[in-house]
Amino acid sequence: SWPAEPGQRFEFQVAHDQAFNDIMTSESVSEPHASIPVPPPDAYYLRVRAIDPDGYVGPYTAPQRFVVAAPFPWWLGLVPLLGL
């Protein structure tokens, strides 16, 4: 979610790279929040821009990096028990 003014719409993008050459999601929303299905483990970048009620389209925010961690392999917890 992000701050907003009444009546604004938003465009958000998620990309594999900070330059947004490899965009994986690009959507428009009418509320100041969004959600996407959890992508595969990797680093990603997110940016948002506001569209005012009068049609003015603002610039994108600075890219924000986020990381989707790989799930911990449950079987690694057995290694000490098995004496391996």
Side-chain angles (χ1 to χ4, degrees):
S1 64
W2 50 86
E5 295 181 15
Q8 286 182 318
R9 295 178 299 118
F10 306 91
E11 292 179 351
F12 76 94
Q13 295 180 327
V14 177
H16 292 279
D17 62 307
Q18 191 171 4
F20 285 79
N21 293 320
D22 188 8
I23 296 172
M24 61 179 279
T25 300
S26 183
E27 295 185 28
S28 296
V29 294
S30 58
E31 298 293 326
H33 55 84
S35 62
I36 62 171
V38 177
D42 204 349
Y44 300 95
Y45 296 86
L46 167 73
R47 66 183 182 180
V48 178
R49 68 179 173 184
I51 303 167
D52 291 341
D54 66 2
Y56 173 77
V57 179
Y60 278 107
T61 60
Q64 298 293 311
R65 183 176 185 265
F66 67 96
V67 175
V68 176
F72 183 76
W74 64 268
W75 52 266
L76 281 179
L78 298 176
V79 171
L81 299 174
L82 299 174
L84 301 176

